[in-house]
Amino acid sequence: MFKSLALTVVAVAAFASVWAADAPAEKPAASSQADTEKVITQFRSDLQAARADVVAKGLTLTAAQAAKFWPLFEQFQTEQSAIIDAQLKATQKYADSYAKLSDADSLAYVSALLERDEKIHALRVKWLTKFQSAVPAGTAARAIQIDRRLGLVAQLQLASRIPLVR
């Protein structure tokens, strides 16, 4: 099980790496921006599917537990996506202004990252409780632990592609 979990984590990391590497250096034109939105939407969808696959492989659920857990997990992912979208928008704004970055721009970007961290933490705390309505506490904790690890891998991949504030 750990071998397949490790392989899936590597696959998720590769998705993040490929997506970050494909980011344009210049501000995209309007039609290109629509294409960028499509790529981000597809990336998010692929990432969520990969996360769900890793979580599924990391949990042992009865049919009754699975019937209760997976709809909750989909809601969790929807809320998580909204937070990640805000981070991606802040990152795009940072990238767009990087050449002429002001102190205010720098602080706004770092504040957005810290706000994302707080929101993700609060989301996981909230959903740990909700997951316990569908599965035993240990299984709920494991689901959050797996999601947290996947999130850390994705954040590390993304952060490694974004230059530090100058």
Side-chain angles (χ1 to χ4, degrees), residues 3-94:
K3 189 174 187 179
S4 66
L5 181 62
L7 289 174
T8 307
V9 169
V10 169
V12 171
F15 277 128
S17 177
V18 168
W19 174 74
D22 288 343
E26 297 178 12
K27 186 174 182 177
S31 63
S32 179
Q33 195 147 359
D35 291 340
T36 301
E37 288 296 322
K38 262 173 87 172
V39 169
I40 289 173
T41 299
Q42 185 60 49
F43 169 74
R44 184 186 323 108
S45 177
D46 293 345
L47 184 63
Q48 285 181 334
R51 278 180 179 236
D53 186 50
V54 172
V55 171
K57 289 176 181 172
L59 300 180
T60 304
L61 302 174
T62 66
Q65 290 171 339
K68 291 178 184 177
F69 176 79
W70 289 112
L72 292 176
F73 189 78
E74 286 178 21
Q75 292 173 15
F76 168 73
Q77 283 193 308
T78 299
E79 289 184 33
Q80 192 176 52
S81 287
I83 296 167
I84 292 169
D85 285 350
Q87 177 189 8
L88 293 176
K89 286 178 186 173
T91 300
Q92 184 62 51
K93 186 175 179 182
Y94 175 71

Side-chain angles (χ1 to χ4, degrees), residues 146-162:
I146 292 169
D147 180 77
R148 183 176 174 274
R149 285 183 178 184
L150 293 172
L152 290 170
V153 168
Q155 287 299 309
L156 180 60
Q157 287 291 323
L158 188 58
S160 70
R161 303 280 184 196
I162 300 170

